[in-house]
Amino acid sequence: MVSIWEGGSASSRAPHMAMATTTIEETKNVAIIFGVTGLVGRELARRLLLLEPSWKKVYGIARNPETLPTLIISPCYHFISCNMLNPLETQKKLSCLQDVTHMFWVTWASQFPSETQESCEQNKAMMCNALNTMLSVAKNLKHVSLQTGTKHYISLHPPFDEEKLQFYYYHEEFPRMSKSLNFYYALEDLLMEKLSGKVSWSVHRPGLLFGSSVRSFYNFMGSLCVYGAICKHLRLPFVFGGTRKCWEESYIDGSDARLVADQHIWAAKNSDMISTNGQAFNSINGPSFTWKEIWPIIGKKLEVQVPQEMLVESFWFSKAMAGKEDVWEEIVESDVEGLLCPLSTFSFSSVFAVTI
């Protein structure tokens, strides 16, 4: 369990957050986090609770209930299990949350590939169900914060737009991809339709998220940790599978889930500065990195054998880890926390090593 009352005061653990000025009005802030069990959702909940009394209550919404050992314990925290694709269930479970003042949307429906019509329709329906209820009952709603990502600017699936690949940095006003379906656009358009001229809202676009969550389907660091654990258990070399271009060049923008959460909170607390027509913010750590630079550091941290030839272009994480369920069970028997990382995200890891 993760108790926010352990490990020191708020100021000792998050001084950059604890310095915020508290006013009488701020003490009435109530947050609702859709996707609270995800990489950024968990950090949002922890940080908002650490800011008490600025935030007197936090509602955490997710389809699947939280589990040990990542369960958040606080008298100000209320978890609600809800399938937001079901409009009746959503209305029933959220209609009593009349005290909500700030809404954070850090979730998405992953049933379909992200750049498909089905994904656009499903994600739009899920947010629409939540917005319809919250806008009807939360009369003091001040701000809505939406998280999407840098796929707003470029697709991860071929055929690639070679002209756009010439740009390494994208500003928030960079035009949408004209030839690609993207549920990010559907969600932004929905907020414009529902909130324009009424409630301030912001869009946050992180890169490859680094964080800790047992409920996140796309958990890149979790996948690397599982890969490292299996390499260590079988005494296999910890190699990088991907193209030399991806290995040697800075193609990935990393985003610490904690910093992304901080940006969400900053926008929420400064909603008077944010337009009711929406304002976008890139949410990137800053310095770029190459896998060539950090791979030996990751290997050292995971206590695995890093060979001199770390790059193996014919190696695919998804193929190498296929059929390793029995190996994982052996690891779990000696370390119950091994259950925290699923084996289902190696195809995602391969995407960031090969197709970028």
Side-chain angles (χ1 to χ4, degrees):
M1 289 184 294
V2 179
S3 173
I4 65 162
W5 311 118
E6 298 175 358
S9 66
S11 59
S12 66
R13 285 171 290 163
H16 58 298
M17 299 297 294
M19 292 173 63
T21 303
T22 301
T23 65
I24 294 177
E25 183 178 0
E26 284 179 325
T27 61
K28 299 179 181 180
N29 288 343
V30 176
I32 184 167
I33 304 170
F34 293 93
V36 73
T37 57
L39 294 169
V40 174
R42 291 186 67 250
E43 294 301 334
L44 268 171
R46 291 183 67 254
R47 277 160 159 67
L48 290 175
L49 292 166
L50 286 171
L51 276 175
E52 218 283 336
S54 293
W55 301 81
K56 72 172 185 178
K57 190 184 300 183
V58 174
Y59 296 109
I61 313 296
R63 182 169 185 170
N64 295 311
E66 297 176 296
T67 58
L68 295 173
T70 59
L71 191 64
I72 297 175
I73 302 298
S74 166
C76 301
Y77 178 66
H78 308 273
F79 177 78
I80 300 173
S81 177
C82 181
N83 176 11
M84 290 173 292
L85 286 171
N86 185 324
L88 295 179
E89 179 180 345
T90 302
Q91 197 278 332
K92 178 180 179 181
K93 292 190 174 182
L94 303 185
S95 60
C96 61
L97 310 183
Q98 301 175 5
D99 53 350
V100 168
T101 59
H102 295 78
M103 174 175 162
F104 299 90
W105 189 268
V106 290
T107 187
W108 67 292
S110 58
Q111 180 179 353
F112 299 102
S114 60
E115 296 179 22
T116 62
Q117 184 65 39
E118 292 86 353
S119 178
C120 291
E121 293 173 355
Q122 192 175 60
N123 278 278
K124 182 177 179 180
M126 187 165 66
M127 177 183 269
C128 190
N129 291 337
L131 277 174
N132 286 343
T133 299
M134 296 311 303
L135 291 176
S136 66
V137 301
K139 300 304 182 182
N140 293 319
L141 186 65
K142 301 175 183 177
H143 186 79
V144 175
S145 181
L146 164 66
Q147 180 173 299
T148 57
T150 51
K151 283 192 295 182
H152 178 94
Y153 308 113
I154 189 168
S155 172
L156 294 182
H157 303 287
F160 298 115
D161 187 333
E162 295 297 330
E163 182 178 347
K164 279 196 172 184
L165 286 175
Q166 301 304 313
F167 297 90
Y168 289 92
Y169 300 98
Y170 302 98
H171 56 76
E172 288 84 350
E173 289 74 34
F174 205 83
R176 293 179 175 183
M177 296 178 290
S178 59
K179 299 180 181 179
S180 176
L181 289 168
N182 193 325
F183 77 85
Y184 293 172
Y185 306 156
L187 296 185
E188 288 190 20
D189 292 344
L190 180 62
L191 289 184
M192 179 67 75
E193 174 190 338
K194 296 283 188 180
L195 304 181
S196 182
K198 303 173 185 176
V199 179
S200 72
W201 57 281
S202 56
V203 182
H204 304 266
R205 299 169 182 162
L208 179 60
L209 280 168
F210 298 128
S212 175
S213 168
V214 301
R215 292 296 190 188
S216 178
F217 182 72
Y218 286 161
N219 186 347
F220 188 83
M221 290 308 297
S223 297
L224 279 185
C225 289
V226 172
Y227 168 55
I230 291 177
C231 286
K232 182 178 181 179
H233 185 75
L234 297 178
R235 298 182 181 180
L236 297 174
F238 187 68
V239 299
F240 177 89
T243 64
R244 182 168 296 277
K245 192 173 184 179
C246 182
W247 173 250
E248 295 180 347
E249 299 185 22
S250 300
Y251 269 78
I252 302 296
D253 285 318
S255 299
D256 188 318
R258 297 167 296 183
L259 296 180
V260 178
D262 286 346
Q263 190 188 69
H264 277 282
I265 296 171
W266 172 85
K269 290 177 68 66
N270 293 276
S271 57
D272 58 328
M273 299 167 53
I274 309 296
S275 171
T276 56
N277 291 321
Q279 186 167 347
F281 299 94
N282 288 333
S283 189
I284 307 298
N285 277 16
S288 299
F289 67 89
T290 67
W291 290 116
K292 183 178 181 179
E293 293 171 335
I294 70 171
W295 197 254
I297 300 173
I298 296 174
K300 182 178 181 180
K301 183 69 175 180
L302 297 178
E303 300 178 341
V304 293
Q305 173 195 348
V306 180
Q308 185 173 357
E309 296 296 328
M310 295 176 283
L311 170 65
V312 179
E313 294 191 69
S314 61
F315 181 89
W316 283 70
F317 295 109
S318 54
K319 294 179 180 179
M321 294 297 101
K324 295 293 193 297
E325 291 82 2
D326 291 341
V327 176
W328 187 246
E329 289 301 321
E330 293 176 7
I331 296 173
V332 170
E333 288 181 4
S334 59
D335 181 5
V336 70
E337 290 189 359
L339 285 170
L340 293 181
C341 296
L343 287 171
S344 60
T345 57
F346 286 105
S347 58
F348 176 62
S349 305
S350 295
V351 166
F352 278 94
V354 178
T355 61
I356 296 300

